[in-house]
Each structure stands twice: as structure tokens, then as C-alpha cells.
């Protein structure tokens, strides 16, 4: 199904009036200004400095220069008609040396101004505490593999929520712990670039633990705050339906989805995967699992694509392989496009875990945008991706799933981690040479949708 210009098949009025409409960004991907106002080095600064780690050899040193342009960027968000904006705080701006008794006030002030700027523009601030930019100084002491990092995170969460808690009512502890743990410490293609399964599992445990242990301070500092975590979740299908592939799919789902959802919802780590991890299982201390299961107010779901899984004896720790199935629709990045996958995923999460509230904290697509002669970016595919996923959200809500908000990834084209600037996800185009912003067709569609306008009719 394609959305045409004359066809707003979905309207804002189809959703509750208090539905949150946002865009998401993250600090390292947009801010730049890595040496300013006392910011310390992050693991991404270090990782990008090693040739070969980033596809185009770039880094987030300048990125979207958002640190200097935040006012006009927030104006873009307001002009879209958003009522919420999800951003992340750079830990190395707050504790440049990782640990230490005193936070860097200039770092805190930046976020204080940013939050005020959101409130002035009618944007509800949604703060993510950890979107992958660990202070390098903590990595030098073992990073998330070291249990002391959990205590440092709690201190950081305490300081930030004390400073912003009077104005920020929505808190996300971690963005996509799967990526932190497994892309960063097993696949090694993200910072800190470690390739070790056992380390990844321990990192994962500490990240989840830090989520739970930070919640009481956030609640104390930000009365009435609603706290959650954003997970990257995927629906799965087996490559062939054979018993081997079905079993492999269950294992893959076990590490991708259940390894996070089960402990967060009080069930501990899934026994089938724990067993398969053998000697690599993480050290879990008394009380850890209770802490991880600390009650939250919402579950953040970052959804991009489904995965097709095959049995792969001898391959990887769980003997599974994600295959690139033929004849499916894909973005230019190669990610499968499947709005129905989002519905299936939400149904499964709602049925198996019963979260009180689900927020789609990220969803979006990367295409090779071209600028037309008259300077417009006609990203029809991204517009259709957005519209089709909103239809999916509407359908999920109609099935009784408590989705209460949707945040498009992303407000701006930005630094896409190991892909550098080669992948554009924004509803706003950024010319990285001039820092000029220009709303794409997808952004115009989102704006018209949010303003209840019928476009193209
Ligand atoms: C998610 C990340 C986000 C961005 C999108 C495309 O996994 O949370 O920072 O890179 O993918």
C-alpha cells in the first residue's frame, strides 16, 4: 500500500487528545561541541578516532552543531506541531572525568536552558539519561563491565534529576541496552569496540541494574515523574518453519527481546538462554533481580524492523543467523519495512508483559535523499514509512494496546554511529557543510498531520 498525496488516510483526530507526538534525538548524534564548556571525552569520541571504525571516517565532533543551534532546532520541533521532544543528556558534560564529587555546572546549565526552551515552545521534555556516550574515563576503569559504573550512573542520574526534575516529567534511564551491551561489547562495531560475549552479558546486567537502582532517586527528585526504559525490540520469524529454524528463532528472540523484558517485568533472565550461556553468564548479586524489576511507568519501544532467523550450527554463541530474506520491502539502509511487524510486536509485548503504558520512543527510516532542482527533498518513501507506521499504531490501539505516544526518529539528519553521515533518518534535511536545515516532504507531511490539515487534496 502506498500513501498518495491526495490521501491522508490517517488523522491526528484518530488518536486521543493527550497522545504524545514527538521526535527523538540523542546528544552525541546532534550536539557537536565536544570540547566546549568542560565536556569530557566519551567512548564515542575515542572510538571514532580509530580509523576504520566509522564508515566515512567521521565523528560527532560537529554533528548538527545543535549545541549552538538548539534554539532554532527547538523552533523546528515546535513548528512541526509536536507536543513532546525526546533528547538525551551527555554524561561527559555532567561528569567530564566520569567520577568525581562535583558535577560540571556548565554542562547542567546547557540542559537547563534546553529544557526551558522546550517548555517555552510547548514541547514536553523527555530526557534520556544514557544514549551510549559513556565518559571515557569510566571505560578506562572497565566501563559497564565494572560494577562501580552502576553506582556512578546512579550518582549521575541523581544529579541530573535534581537539577531538571522540577521541569522534566518524563525520564528514560537507558536507550536500547541491547545495543550498549551486544553491539558495543560483543560485535564490537560500536563504542567501546570490545568483542567478547561474556563481557557483553556482564555489561548487560550492569546496565539493567543501573536502570532499576537509579529509579528511586529520579522519583525523589522529580515528584510525579514518570520513568521508563527504551528497548530496541524486534518481531521474529523463522527462515523456513523447520523445527531447527523455529528453535533458533526462539533462541534469537531470547537474547534480543526476552533477555530484557523478562527481568524488567520481574521474571528473571529467561532460563533457556541462561543455560545456553554456560560459563559466560553474568555475576548476579543478591537483590539485583529485584532492583531490575523496580516498577516503571511506561515501556519505551524503539521499533525499526523484523528479523528472519535461521539455525546456524557453530555460528555465534547461540548458533543463530539473521538472514536477508528476498522479496521483502527494504529501506535504502537495508532494513525491512514492516508496519504489520510493529502491530505483531506490540500485541506480543502487551499480551506477555502487560505494561501499563507503551510509548513508541523511536521509529523511522533511512533513504538516499536527493535534493530536487528547486531545492526540495521529496522523500516519498520516508513519508510513506511514517504514515504506514502511524496507521499500524492506530490499529494496535484499536486492539486495546495502550500506546500513548509516538516519537519519530529523527528530527534531524545526524551522525548515525558506525555509519557516520552516510545514513539520513531526519524529517529535516541537514546540509552538514553549511548546517542549513530544510524540512523534507516527510516533515511537511508530519506537520500537516499534526496540524489536522488535509494535504494535497
Ligand atoms: C536506534 C538508535 C538511534 C538511531 C536509530 C537509527 O537504534 O537508538 O540512536 O541510531 O537507531
Amino acid at each position: 500500500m502506498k500513501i498518495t498525496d491526495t490521501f491522508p488516510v490517517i488523522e491526528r483526530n484518530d488518536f486521543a487528545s493527550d497522545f504524545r507526538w514527538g521526535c527523538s534525538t540523542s546528544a552525541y548524534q546532534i550536539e557537536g561541541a565536544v570540547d566546549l564548556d568542560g565536556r569530557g571525552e566519551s567512548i564515542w569520541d575515542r572510538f571514532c578516532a580509530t580509523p576504520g571504525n566509522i564508515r566515512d571516517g567521521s565523528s560527532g565532533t560537529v554533528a548538527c552543531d545543535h549545541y549552538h543551534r538548539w534554539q532554532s532546532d527547538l523552533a523546528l520541533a515546535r513548528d512541526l506541531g509536536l507536543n513532546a521532544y525526546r533528547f538525551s543528556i551527555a554524561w561527559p558534560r555532567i561528569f567530564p572525568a566520569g567520577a568525581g564529587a562535583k558535577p560540571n555546572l556548565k554542562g547542567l546549565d546547557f540542559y537547563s536552558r534546553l529544557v526551558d526552551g522546550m517548555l517555552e515552545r510547548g514541547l514536553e521534555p523527555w530526557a534520556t539519561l544514557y544514549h551510549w556516550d559513556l565518559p571515557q574515563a569510566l571505560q578506562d576503569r572497565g566501563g559497564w563491565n565494572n560494577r562501580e559504573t552502576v553506582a556512578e550512573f546512579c550518582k549521575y542520574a541523581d544529579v541530573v534529576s535534581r537539577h531538571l526534575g522540577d521541569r522534566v516529567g518524563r525520564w528514560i534511564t537507558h536507550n536500547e541496552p541491547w545495543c550498549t551491551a551486544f553491539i558495543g561489547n560483543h560485535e564490537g562495531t560500536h563504542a567501546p569496540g570490545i568483542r567478547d560475549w561474556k563481557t557483553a552479558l556482564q555489561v548487560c546486567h550492569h546496565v539493567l541494574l543501573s536502570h532499576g537502582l537509579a529509579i528511586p532517586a529520579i522519583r525523589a527528585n522529580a515528584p510525579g515523574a514518570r520513568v521508563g526504559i527504551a528497548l530496541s525490540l524486534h518481531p521474529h520469524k523463522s527462515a523456513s518453519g523447520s523445527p531447527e529454524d523455529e528453535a533458533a528463532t526462539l533462541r534469537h528472540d531470547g537474547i534480543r527481546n526476552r533477555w530484557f523484558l523478562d527481568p524488567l517485568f520481574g521474571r528473571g533472565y529467561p532460563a533457556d538462554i541462561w543455560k545456553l550461556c554456560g560459563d559466560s553468564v553474568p555475576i548476579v548479586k543478591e537483590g539485583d533481580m529485584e532492583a531490575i524489576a523496580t516498577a516503571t511507568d511506561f515501556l519505551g519501544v524503539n521499533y525499526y524492523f523484523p528479523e528472519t532467523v535461521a539455525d546456524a550450527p557453530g555460528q555465534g554463541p547461540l548458533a543463530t543467523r539473521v538472514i536477508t530474506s528476498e522479496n521483502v520491502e527494504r529501506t535504502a539502509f537495508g532494513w525491512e519495512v514492516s508496519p504489520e511487524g510493529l502491530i505483531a510486536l506490540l500485541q506480543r509485548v502487551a499480551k506477555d508483559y502487560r505494561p501499563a503504558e507503551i510509548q513508541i520512543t523511536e521509529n523511522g527510516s533511512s533513504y538516499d535523499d536527493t535534493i530536487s532542482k528547486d531545492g526540495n527533498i521529496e522523500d516519498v518513501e520516508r513519508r510513506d514509512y511514517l504514515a504506514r507506521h502511524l496507521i499500524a499504531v492506530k490499529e494496535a490501539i484499536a486492539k486495546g494496546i495502550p500506546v500513548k505516544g509516538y516519537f519519530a526518529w529523527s528530527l534531524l539528519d545526524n551522525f548515525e554511529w558506525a555509519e557516520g553521515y552516510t545514513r539520513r533518518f531526519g524529517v529535516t534535511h541537514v546540509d552538514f557543510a553549511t548546517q542549513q536545515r530544510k524540512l523534507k516532504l516527510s516533515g511537511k507531511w508530519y506537520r500537516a498531520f499534526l496540524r489536522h490539515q488535509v494535504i494535497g487534496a
Side-chain angles (χ1 to χ4, degrees):
M1 175 189 50
K2 287 274 173 208
I3 309 298
T4 68
D5 281 339
T6 51
F7 155 160
V9 277
I10 181 146
E11 291 186 32
R12 183 177 184 162
N13 282 333
D14 295 336
F15 296 81
S17 57
D18 63 351
F19 197 84
R20 294 326 198 263
W21 293 105
C23 277
S24 289
T25 62
S26 89
Y28 191 73
Q29 294 179 276
I30 64 167
E31 285 179 359
V34 292
D35 294 323
L36 237 63
D37 294 336
R39 177 187 178 278
E41 190 188 12
S42 84
I43 56 173
W44 273 93
D45 299 307
R46 182 72 65 93
F47 187 72
C48 293
T50 303
N53 279 347
I54 310 299
R55 182 187 288 268
D56 57 3
S58 66
S59 72
T61 304
V62 178
C64 305
D65 194 30
H66 174 75
Y67 196 79
H68 295 112
R69 295 168 195 265
W70 60 269
Q71 296 190 337
S72 45
D73 288 341
L74 292 184
L76 279 174
R78 176 204 54 208
D79 292 347
L80 277 175
L82 307 181
N83 58 19
Y85 175 69
R86 176 176 172 235
F87 66 111
S88 84
I89 291 153
W91 188 348
R93 289 197 193 280
I94 312 301
F95 284 102
K102 287 208 189 99
N104 172 30
L105 291 180
K106 284 190 174 168
L108 286 169
D109 283 352
F110 170 69
Y111 293 107
S112 199
R113 289 195 299 275
L114 191 67
V115 163
D116 286 344
M118 290 175 214
L119 294 172
E120 280 160 20
R121 292 169 180 82
L123 301 164
E124 182 182 48
W126 286 57
T128 303
L129 285 165
Y130 190 76
H131 201 125
W132 307 353
D133 44 357
L134 185 73
Q136 179 63 40
L138 292 181
Q139 188 61 44
D140 293 342
R141 294 202 257 136
W144 284 109
N145 193 34
N146 180 347
R147 195 172 166 107
E148 282 173 25
T149 299
V150 175
E152 293 301 337
F153 178 79
C154 291
K155 190 170 81 186
Y156 157 67
D158 182 24
V159 164
V160 173
S161 56
R162 190 167 301 191
H163 210 78
L164 304 178
D166 56 336
R167 287 156 292 155
V168 177
R170 291 284 189 159
W171 293 86
I172 292 168
T173 54
H174 279 271
N175 180 70
E176 302 188 350
W178 186 88
C179 297
T180 304
F182 297 103
I183 307 188
N185 294 274
H186 177 233
E187 296 172 10
T189 51
H190 277 185
I194 291 167
R195 290 168 202 251
D196 186 69
W197 175 241
K198 190 175 170 66
T199 303
L201 287 166
Q202 190 64 58
V203 161
C204 193
H205 181 66
H206 288 154
V207 166
L208 289 174
L209 181 61
S210 76
H211 152 80
L213 289 177
I215 292 175
I218 300 171
R219 291 203 192 287
N221 294 332
R226 300 178 70 77
V227 190
I229 187 167
L231 302 179
S232 47
L233 299 175
H234 302 258
H236 292 121
K237 43 197 177 200
S238 89
S240 70
S242 70
E244 292 77 13
D245 285 349
E246 292 285 337
T249 306
L250 191 63
R251 295 196 296 280
H252 187 73
D253 175 71
I255 198 72
R256 265 296 213 186
N257 297 325
R258 288 183 286 127
W259 195 257
F260 300 88
L261 288 163
D262 280 14
L264 288 166
F265 286 89
R267 301 183 193 166
Y269 288 115
D272 55 339
I273 306 302
W274 182 270
K275 202 166 148 213
L276 291 170
C277 290
D279 293 344
S280 299
V281 292
I283 298 167
V284 175
K285 297 201 175 167
E286 210 187 316
D288 284 4
M289 299 318 290
E290 289 75 12
I292 292 173
T294 301
T296 53
D297 302 293
F298 63 91
L299 174 68
V301 174
N302 291 2
Y303 172 72
Y304 289 94
F305 54 89
E307 288 177 325
T308 305
V309 185
D311 185 35
Q315 199 172 307
L318 298 180
T320 60
R321 189 163 56 93
V322 174
I323 64 157
T324 311
S325 39
E326 301 289 321
N327 302 324
V328 299
E329 186 185 345
R330 293 185 183 280
T331 67
F333 199 169
W335 291 359
E336 183 173 340
V337 177
S338 176
E340 51 290 348
L342 175 58
I343 302 176
L345 174 70
L346 292 171
Q347 279 185 293
R348 183 265 176 109
V349 168
K351 178 170 147 292
D352 289 356
Y353 301 96
R354 307 203 166 278
E357 180 180 309
I358 294 178
Q359 299 284 346
I360 309 294
T361 35
E362 283 179 31
N363 174 239
S365 58
S366 170
Y367 289 99
D368 298 328
D369 301 326
T370 50
I371 305 180
S372 69
K373 270 195 236 104
D374 49 5
N376 291 319
I377 298 103
E378 305 281 341
D379 60 335
V380 178
E381 296 103 328
R382 187 177 291 100
R383 177 199 59 184
D384 292 355
Y385 182 100
L386 177 59
R388 288 161 65 195
H389 283 76
L390 291 183
I391 293 170
V393 173
K394 178 183 160 184
E395 284 179 26
I397 294 170
K399 291 179 193 298
I401 298 163
V403 184
K404 304 292 184 189
Y406 176 92
F407 293 74
W409 183 273
S410 180
L411 177 65
L412 305 166
D413 290 336
N414 58 48
F415 175 75
E416 177 50 32
W417 310 113
E419 302 293 323
Y421 296 96
T422 66
R423 303 293 179 195
R424 294 178 177 272
F425 277 90
V427 296
T428 309
H429 182 270
V430 177
D431 178 332
F432 292 105
T434 62
Q435 290 295 345
Q436 251 189 15
R437 275 77 162 138
K438 181 146 194 167
L439 205 58
K440 302 177 191 176
L441 179 68
S442 57
K444 290 179 187 164
W445 185 88
Y446 199 25
R447 182 177 65 187
F449 166 86
L450 291 170
R451 292 180 176 177
H452 300 265
Q453 289 166 357
V454 175
I455 26 175

